[in-house]
């Protein structure tokens, strides 16, 4: 039996900065996972990924990452995506630093 | 030290200009990522979890003060103020922006540094004993040979698209500080009947299938180095598997075909190739050697050193762990620990790099080294200068007296930075170092090497750690496997797994239990962890690590 489909977000790295970005329902990119589009249908996920990849000029390496619905939007289900969302644990760098500066 | 000639300089400038144009074309959309990626990788540019990463080669680990200052400049101007020294005598920058990379490469090029062949399936930076040219136990400085290999392999058309990356390490001493048995090719400078040559070892490597290299040739005359290496690579290119990238390493080729077959084929290829070398390479080698002439060592009494050693316990503790015998009795080799307790192994700030550059310039005849253990070395220091050096290091958080001890951990970037990681390594290293510092045990424990990787690629050399730690992903949770008894020296060995892995918060206590077994079982403070392990075997450690399993058996 095929494994049940689990919800996904589309994520990539920004071409110029290299930092982690997410695809929104409006076909734009955001730096906040909570603003990403949570895709719950498998066929839809493939189509959305193709759509995202069309923006090759802005992004690098788009893929589908597992996520779940949270009170404020999508949340990671795996620690890898948690690190991508926040930044490294040895320094206060990456997204966590950027957010502290807003 | 080797100095670039005009040809080298022009080559680098042109290469960097090409890359600048490629970056522009990627940004304006004329290159897709699929087209651009191989080009950026050829220039040491990776894309990691949170950002791009630039990997710069430090050939055979040697650099001068000016080059170190440039490394500092890159950290401060284009990165977040620090750089990461790796086990392959490279430095990595974790946060550059795509647009800045060409400027970074130009700045490096100005001081003769580059990022060529720091990525891709090619002959990577040839690494060498970090005490080369300085160690008391050395036969010959291996670096001129490493430089010869670099010049021969850099942009050599046959070696740009090998089945897989290819790594060569070289030592000029019988004490192996270059891990030559865990490289695709390991070279040891040896002498036979008064002639210089090499012992050639092939088929070592770590990664998912760790192997200790085997002797291909007991003695290879110096003049045959390049044709013989070319033969080794030719056989690898012919015989090596390309059906499966995990099997496309020479270690697999050697083990599947047997060392005797590999040797026979290499010798045959060598006979065919040797004639093509007309001796120009040996002329070049002689020229290269002049650049590695030893500095004019000062001489003089060591009174100031002796006094500090007798009177200052902090200095003495540092001298006992961080100095190594130099071939000149009134000199010493200084290892600067870039492993302050709780810090990221191998990270140095721009300011620290500049301090080390200044010390190198003032006291070490303008030479520094990067070790595969992720530390920085001042290879030639007059002993009387050591108290001043120590004082300066102390001011900048660089005087940690832990070289060779439990907190002198090798750790790869792991899941904090690396796109391939399956778990984190850095925080594990930080916590182990902090814990044993709190316990104030590390000097008592003595020589013990912990090495940590965040995935099976083994960039942190965990297989050859006395205690090796491998981070894995077990059903979405970080889990750590332990190996014991690995050895990275001339008595190289691959460690043995203790058993099931440990959760993130169990790994430091597990290491503590291993150390407790050693402390209880060692015959004397002189018997090292590795010696004790070799004497008593795995069982006592297993019993301490898995008490529940023992009960079930009983
Ligand atoms: C963060 C970017 C890095 C990536 C993507 C990376 C990737 C890899 C891969 C894929 C391998 C396995 C190669 C194979 O077996 O064919 C490998 C091996 C290795 N890497 Fe890295 N690495 C990275 C960083 C580092 C760092 C920071 C170090 C040093 C601290 C390092 C040192 C090594 C070493 C020594 C090996 C040798 C394993 C062997 O002998 O087979 N790498 N790396
Ligand atoms: S061992 Fe794995 S996690 Fe560590 S640097 Fe190498 S590839 Fe990355």
């Amino acid at each position: 039996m095929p494994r049940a489909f689990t919800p996904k977000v589309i994520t990539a790295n920004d071409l110029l900065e290299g930092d982690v970005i997410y695809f929104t329902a409006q076909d734009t990119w955001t730096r906040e996972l909570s603003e990403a589009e949570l895709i719950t249908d498998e066929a839809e996920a493939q189509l959305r990924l193709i759509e995202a990849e069309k923006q090759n000029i802005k992004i690098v390496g788009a893929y589908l990452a597992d996520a779940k619905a949270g009170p404020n939007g999508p949340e990671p289900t795996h620690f890898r995506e948690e690190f991508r969302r926040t930044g490294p644990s040895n320094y206060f760098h990456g997204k966590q630093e950027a957010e502290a500066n807003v | 030290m080797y100095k670039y000639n005009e040809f080298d300089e022009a080559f680098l400038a042109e290469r960097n200009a090409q890359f600048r144009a490629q970056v522009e074309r990627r940004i304006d959309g004329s290159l897709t990522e699929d087209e651009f990626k191989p080009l950026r990788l050829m220039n040491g540019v990776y894309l990691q979890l949170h950002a791009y990463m630039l990997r710069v080669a430090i050939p055979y680990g040697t650099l001068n003060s000016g080059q170190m200052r440039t490394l500092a400049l890159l950290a401060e101007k284009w990165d977040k103020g620090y750089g990461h020294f790796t086990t392959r005598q490279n430095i990595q920058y974790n946060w550059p922006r795509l647009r800045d990379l060409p400027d970074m490469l130009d700045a490096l090029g100005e001081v003769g540094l580059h990022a060529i062949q720091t990525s891709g399936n090619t002959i990577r930076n040839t690494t060498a004993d970090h005490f080369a040219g300085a160690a008391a136990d050395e036969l010959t400085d291996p670096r001129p040979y490493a430089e010869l290999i670099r010049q021969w392999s850099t942009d050599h058309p046959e070696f740009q698209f090998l089945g897989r990356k290819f790594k060569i390490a070289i030592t000029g001493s019988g004490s192996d500080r270059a891990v030559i048995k865990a490289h695709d090719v390991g070279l040891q400078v040896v002498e036979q009947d008064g002639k210089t040559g090499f012992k050639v070892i092939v088929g070592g490597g770590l990664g998912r299938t760790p192997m200790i290299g085997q002797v291909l040739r007991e003695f290879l005359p110096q003049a045959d180095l390049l044709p013989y290496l070319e033969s080794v690579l030719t056989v690898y290119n012919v015989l090596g598997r390309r059906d499966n990238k995990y099997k496309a390493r020479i270690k697999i080729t050697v083990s599947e075909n047997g060392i005797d077959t590999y040797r026979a084929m290499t010798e045959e290829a060598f006979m065919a190739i040797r004639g093509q070398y007309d001796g120009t390479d040996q002329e070049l080698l002689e020229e290269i050697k002049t650049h590695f002439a030893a500095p004019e060592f000062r001489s003089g009494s060591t009174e100031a050193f002796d006094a500090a050693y007798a009177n200052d316990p902090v200095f003495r503790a540092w001298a006992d762990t961080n100095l190594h015998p130099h071939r000149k009795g009134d000199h010493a080799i200084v290892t600067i620990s870039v492993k302050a307790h709780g810090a990221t192994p191998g990270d140095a700030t721009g300011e620290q790099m500049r301090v080390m550059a200044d010390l190198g310039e003032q006291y070490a005849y303008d030479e520094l080294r990067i070790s595969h253990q992720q530390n920085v070395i001042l290879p030639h220091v007059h002993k009387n200068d050591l108290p001043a050096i120590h004082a300066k290091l102390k001011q900048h958080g660089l005087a940690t007296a832990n070289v060779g001890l439990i907190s002198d951990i090798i750790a790869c970037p792991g899941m904090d930075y690396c796109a391939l990681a399956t778990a984190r390594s850095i925080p594990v290293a930080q916590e182990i170092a902090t814990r044993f510092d709190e316990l104030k045990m590390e000097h008592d424990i003595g020589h013990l090497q912990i090495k940590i990787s965040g995935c099976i690629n083994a960039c942190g050399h965990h297989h050859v750690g006395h205690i090796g730690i491998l981070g894995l992903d077990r059903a979405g949770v970080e889990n750590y496997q332990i190996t014991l008894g690995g050895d990275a020296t001339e008595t190289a060995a691959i460690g043995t797994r203790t058993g099931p892995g440990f959760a993130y918060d169990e790994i430091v206590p597990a290491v503590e239990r291993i150390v407790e077994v050693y402390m209880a079982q060692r015959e004397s403070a002189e018997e090292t962890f590795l010696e004790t392990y070799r004497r008593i075997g795995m069982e006592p450690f297993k019993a301490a690590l898995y008490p529940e399993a023992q009960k079930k058996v009983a």
Side-chain angles (χ1 to χ4, degrees), chain B residues 48 55 92 165 411-425 452-462 470-471:
Chain B
Q48 296 294 352
R55 178 183 292 158
Q92 295 185 172
K165 60 165 94 168
C412 81
M415 185 69 92
D416 286 310
Y417 298 91
C418 180
L420 302 178
T422 45
R424 284 173 300 163
S425 337
I452 310 175
S453 307
C455 82
I456 55 167
N457 287 323
C459 302
H461 288 196
H462 64 276
L470 165 62

Side-chain angles (χ1 to χ4, degrees), chain B residues 415-441:
Chain B
M415 185 69 92
D416 286 310
Y417 298 91
C418 180
L420 302 178
T422 45
R424 284 173 300 163
S425 337
I426 293 168
V428 176
Q430 290 175 308
E431 286 172 28
I432 293 172
T434 305
R435 178 68 185 142
F436 283 93
D437 186 42
E438 282 162 10
L439 295 172
K440 294 291 162 227
M441 276 176 72

Side-chain angles (χ1 to χ4, degrees), chain A residues 13-20 56-57 59-61 78-80 83-84 86-91 93-94 97, chain B residues 26 29 32-33 47 49-52 80 82 95 97-98 344 347 415-417 419 422 424 427 473 476-478:
Chain A
N13 289 71
D14 179 77
L15 173 68
L16 295 177
E17 300 289 320
D19 60 336
V20 177
N56 165 63
I57 194 163
I59 64 152
V60 184
H78 188 279
F79 61 89
R80 183 176 192 274
F83 287 121
R84 288 184 78 243
T86 44
S89 58
N90 62 330
Y91 299 117
H93 284 164
E97 180 186 31
Chain B
R26 175 68 181 104
T32 64
E33 186 59 23
L47 183 64
L49 281 185
H50 316 288
Y52 289 97
K80 292 188 188 281
Y82 68 98
W95 305 94
R97 285 176 302 204
L98 184 58
T344 302
D347 275 9
M415 185 69 92
D416 286 310
Y417 298 91
T422 45
R424 284 173 300 163
D473 175 345
V477 180
E478 289 168 298

Side-chain angles (χ1 to χ4, degrees), chain B residues 173-189:
Chain B
S173 153
S175 317
D176 181 8
R177 288 174 288 263
V179 209
I180 61 170
K181 289 183 178 167
H183 280 75
D184 297 285
V185 173
L187 297 168
Q188 182 190 350
V189 186

